[in-house]
Short mmCIF file of all heavy atoms in Angstrom, two decimals:
data_model
loop_
_atom_site.label_atom_id
_atom_site.label_comp_id
_atom_site.label_asym_id
_atom_site.label_seq_id
_atom_site.Cartn_x
_atom_site.Cartn_y
_atom_site.Cartn_z
N ARG V 134 -31.98 8.20 -9.85
CA ARG V 134 -31.57 7.49 -8.64
C ARG V 134 -31.39 6.01 -8.95
O ARG V 134 -32.06 5.44 -9.80
CB ARG V 134 -32.63 7.65 -7.58
CG ARG V 134 -32.71 9.06 -7.07
CD ARG V 134 -33.66 9.08 -5.93
NE ARG V 134 -32.95 8.54 -4.78
CZ ARG V 134 -33.03 9.06 -3.57
NH1 ARG V 134 -33.78 10.08 -3.36
NH2 ARG V 134 -32.38 8.53 -2.57
N GLY V 135 -30.50 5.39 -8.22
CA GLY V 135 -30.30 3.96 -8.35
C GLY V 135 -29.26 3.58 -9.39
O GLY V 135 -28.90 2.43 -9.49
N HIS V 136 -28.77 4.53 -10.15
CA HIS V 136 -27.79 4.21 -11.17
C HIS V 136 -26.37 4.53 -10.74
O HIS V 136 -25.43 4.30 -11.49
CB HIS V 136 -28.10 4.98 -12.46
CG HIS V 136 -29.40 4.58 -13.09
ND1 HIS V 136 -29.57 3.36 -13.70
CD2 HIS V 136 -30.58 5.23 -13.19
CE1 HIS V 136 -30.80 3.28 -14.16
NE2 HIS V 136 -31.45 4.41 -13.85
N SER V 137 -26.18 5.08 -9.57
CA SER V 137 -24.85 5.52 -9.16
C SER V 137 -23.92 4.36 -8.83
O SER V 137 -22.71 4.49 -8.95
CB SER V 137 -24.94 6.45 -7.96
OG SER V 137 -25.48 5.76 -6.86
N LEU V 138 -24.44 3.22 -8.42
CA LEU V 138 -23.59 2.10 -8.05
C LEU V 138 -22.79 1.59 -9.25
O LEU V 138 -21.63 1.22 -9.11
CB LEU V 138 -24.43 0.98 -7.46
CG LEU V 138 -23.66 -0.13 -6.75
CD1 LEU V 138 -22.82 0.45 -5.63
CD2 LEU V 138 -24.59 -1.17 -6.22
N GLY V 139 -23.39 1.58 -10.41
CA GLY V 139 -22.67 1.13 -11.61
C GLY V 139 -21.66 2.14 -12.11
O GLY V 139 -20.73 1.81 -12.83
N VAL V 140 -21.81 3.40 -11.71
CA VAL V 140 -20.95 4.47 -12.18
C VAL V 140 -19.78 4.73 -11.22
O VAL V 140 -18.76 5.28 -11.61
CB VAL V 140 -21.78 5.76 -12.38
CG1 VAL V 140 -20.93 6.92 -12.79
CG2 VAL V 140 -22.86 5.52 -13.42
N LEU V 141 -19.91 4.32 -9.97
CA LEU V 141 -18.90 4.60 -8.96
C LEU V 141 -17.47 4.24 -9.36
O LEU V 141 -16.57 5.05 -9.19
CB LEU V 141 -19.26 3.90 -7.64
CG LEU V 141 -20.06 4.75 -6.66
CD1 LEU V 141 -20.52 3.90 -5.50
CD2 LEU V 141 -19.25 5.90 -6.18
N PRO V 142 -17.20 3.05 -9.88
CA PRO V 142 -15.81 2.73 -10.23
C PRO V 142 -15.24 3.68 -11.28
O PRO V 142 -14.07 4.06 -11.20
CB PRO V 142 -15.88 1.31 -10.77
CG PRO V 142 -17.15 0.75 -10.27
CD PRO V 142 -18.07 1.90 -10.08
N PHE V 143 -16.05 4.08 -12.23
CA PHE V 143 -15.56 4.97 -13.28
C PHE V 143 -15.32 6.38 -12.74
O PHE V 143 -14.36 7.04 -13.13
CB PHE V 143 -16.55 5.00 -14.44
CG PHE V 143 -16.78 3.64 -15.04
CD1 PHE V 143 -17.97 2.98 -14.85
CD2 PHE V 143 -15.78 3.01 -15.76
CE1 PHE V 143 -18.18 1.72 -15.38
CE2 PHE V 143 -15.96 1.75 -16.29
CZ PHE V 143 -17.17 1.11 -16.10
N ARG V 144 -16.19 6.83 -11.83
CA ARG V 144 -15.98 8.15 -11.22
C ARG V 144 -14.72 8.16 -10.39
O ARG V 144 -13.95 9.12 -10.43
CB ARG V 144 -17.19 8.51 -10.37
CG ARG V 144 -18.35 8.99 -11.20
CD ARG V 144 -19.55 9.41 -10.42
NE ARG V 144 -19.30 9.89 -9.07
CZ ARG V 144 -20.18 9.85 -8.10
NH1 ARG V 144 -21.37 9.33 -8.31
NH2 ARG V 144 -19.89 10.31 -6.91
N ASP V 145 -14.49 7.11 -9.62
CA ASP V 145 -13.26 7.04 -8.83
C ASP V 145 -12.03 7.00 -9.72
O ASP V 145 -11.00 7.58 -9.39
CB ASP V 145 -13.29 5.82 -7.91
CG ASP V 145 -14.20 6.02 -6.72
OD1 ASP V 145 -14.55 7.19 -6.44
OD2 ASP V 145 -14.55 5.03 -6.07
N LEU V 146 -12.13 6.31 -10.84
CA LEU V 146 -11.01 6.25 -11.77
C LEU V 146 -10.69 7.63 -12.33
O LEU V 146 -9.53 8.01 -12.45
CB LEU V 146 -11.32 5.27 -12.91
CG LEU V 146 -10.24 5.13 -13.98
CD1 LEU V 146 -8.98 4.53 -13.38
CD2 LEU V 146 -10.75 4.26 -15.11
N LEU V 147 -11.72 8.40 -12.65
CA LEU V 147 -11.51 9.74 -13.18
C LEU V 147 -11.01 10.72 -12.11
O LEU V 147 -10.24 11.62 -12.40
CB LEU V 147 -12.79 10.29 -13.81
CG LEU V 147 -13.20 9.64 -15.12
CD1 LEU V 147 -14.54 10.17 -15.58
CD2 LEU V 147 -12.15 9.87 -16.18
N ARG V 148 -11.45 10.53 -10.87
CA ARG V 148 -11.02 11.43 -9.80
C ARG V 148 -9.55 11.25 -9.45
O ARG V 148 -8.85 12.23 -9.21
CB ARG V 148 -11.85 11.17 -8.54
CG ARG V 148 -13.18 11.82 -8.57
CD ARG V 148 -13.86 11.64 -7.23
NE ARG V 148 -15.25 12.01 -7.35
CZ ARG V 148 -16.19 11.55 -6.55
NH1 ARG V 148 -15.88 10.72 -5.58
NH2 ARG V 148 -17.42 11.92 -6.71
N SER V 149 -9.10 10.04 -9.36
CA SER V 149 -7.71 9.80 -8.97
C SER V 149 -7.16 8.60 -9.74
O SER V 149 -7.14 7.48 -9.22
CB SER V 149 -7.61 9.58 -7.47
OG SER V 149 -8.42 8.51 -7.09
N PRO V 150 -6.69 8.83 -10.95
CA PRO V 150 -6.16 7.71 -11.73
C PRO V 150 -4.89 7.11 -11.13
O PRO V 150 -4.63 5.92 -11.28
CB PRO V 150 -5.90 8.32 -13.11
CG PRO V 150 -5.88 9.78 -12.91
CD PRO V 150 -6.70 10.07 -11.70
N GLY V 151 -4.10 7.91 -10.42
CA GLY V 151 -2.89 7.38 -9.80
C GLY V 151 -3.20 6.35 -8.73
O GLY V 151 -2.54 5.31 -8.64
N ARG V 152 -4.20 6.64 -7.92
CA ARG V 152 -4.59 5.69 -6.87
C ARG V 152 -5.13 4.41 -7.48
O ARG V 152 -4.84 3.31 -7.02
CB ARG V 152 -5.63 6.34 -5.96
CG ARG V 152 -5.99 5.50 -4.78
CD ARG V 152 -6.87 6.24 -3.82
NE ARG V 152 -8.15 6.54 -4.45
CZ ARG V 152 -8.96 7.50 -4.03
NH1 ARG V 152 -8.63 8.24 -3.01
NH2 ARG V 152 -10.10 7.72 -4.64
N ALA V 153 -5.91 4.55 -8.55
CA ALA V 153 -6.45 3.36 -9.22
C ALA V 153 -5.32 2.54 -9.84
O ALA V 153 -5.34 1.30 -9.79
CB ALA V 153 -7.45 3.77 -10.30
N LEU V 154 -4.31 3.21 -10.39
CA LEU V 154 -3.17 2.50 -10.98
C LEU V 154 -2.38 1.76 -9.90
O LEU V 154 -2.00 0.60 -10.09
CB LEU V 154 -2.26 3.47 -11.73
CG LEU V 154 -1.02 2.87 -12.35
CD1 LEU V 154 -1.41 1.93 -13.48
CD2 LEU V 154 -0.09 3.95 -12.84
N ARG V 155 -2.15 2.42 -8.76
CA ARG V 155 -1.42 1.75 -7.67
C ARG V 155 -2.20 0.55 -7.15
O ARG V 155 -1.62 -0.49 -6.84
CB ARG V 155 -1.13 2.74 -6.54
CG ARG V 155 -0.01 3.70 -6.86
CD ARG V 155 0.41 4.49 -5.63
NE ARG V 155 -0.68 5.23 -5.03
CZ ARG V 155 -0.96 6.50 -5.27
NH1 ARG V 155 -0.22 7.16 -6.13
NH2 ARG V 155 -1.95 7.10 -4.67
N THR V 156 -3.52 0.68 -7.06
CA THR V 156 -4.34 -0.44 -6.61
C THR V 156 -4.25 -1.60 -7.60
O THR V 156 -4.09 -2.75 -7.21
CB THR V 156 -5.80 0.00 -6.44
OG1 THR V 156 -5.84 1.06 -5.49
CG2 THR V 156 -6.67 -1.14 -5.97
N ALA V 157 -4.34 -1.29 -8.89
CA ALA V 157 -4.25 -2.34 -9.91
C ALA V 157 -2.88 -3.00 -9.89
O ALA V 157 -2.78 -4.23 -10.02
CB ALA V 157 -4.54 -1.75 -11.29
N LEU V 158 -1.82 -2.23 -9.73
CA LEU V 158 -0.47 -2.82 -9.66
C LEU V 158 -0.30 -3.68 -8.42
O LEU V 158 0.34 -4.73 -8.47
CB LEU V 158 0.58 -1.72 -9.70
CG LEU V 158 0.76 -1.02 -11.05
CD1 LEU V 158 1.73 0.15 -10.91
CD2 LEU V 158 1.26 -1.99 -12.08
N GLY V 159 -0.87 -3.25 -7.29
CA GLY V 159 -0.79 -4.06 -6.08
C GLY V 159 -1.51 -5.39 -6.22
O GLY V 159 -1.01 -6.43 -5.82
N ILE V 160 -2.69 -5.35 -6.82
CA ILE V 160 -3.44 -6.59 -7.04
C ILE V 160 -2.70 -7.49 -8.02
O ILE V 160 -2.61 -8.71 -7.83
CB ILE V 160 -4.87 -6.27 -7.53
CG1 ILE V 160 -5.66 -5.62 -6.38
CG2 ILE V 160 -5.58 -7.52 -8.02
CD1 ILE V 160 -7.00 -5.05 -6.82
N ALA V 161 -2.13 -6.89 -9.07
CA ALA V 161 -1.37 -7.68 -10.05
C ALA V 161 -0.15 -8.33 -9.42
O ALA V 161 0.17 -9.49 -9.70
CB ALA V 161 -0.96 -6.80 -11.23
#
Side-chain angles (χ1 to χ4, degrees):
R134 292 187 77 137
H136 295 289
S137 63
L138 193 58
V140 176
L141 267 172
F143 301 109
R144 282 182 27 206
D145 284 343
L146 179 65
L147 289 175
R148 280 186 193 156
S149 57
R152 186 173 64 201
L154 178 67
R155 285 190 302 265
T156 301
L158 288 173
I160 291 170

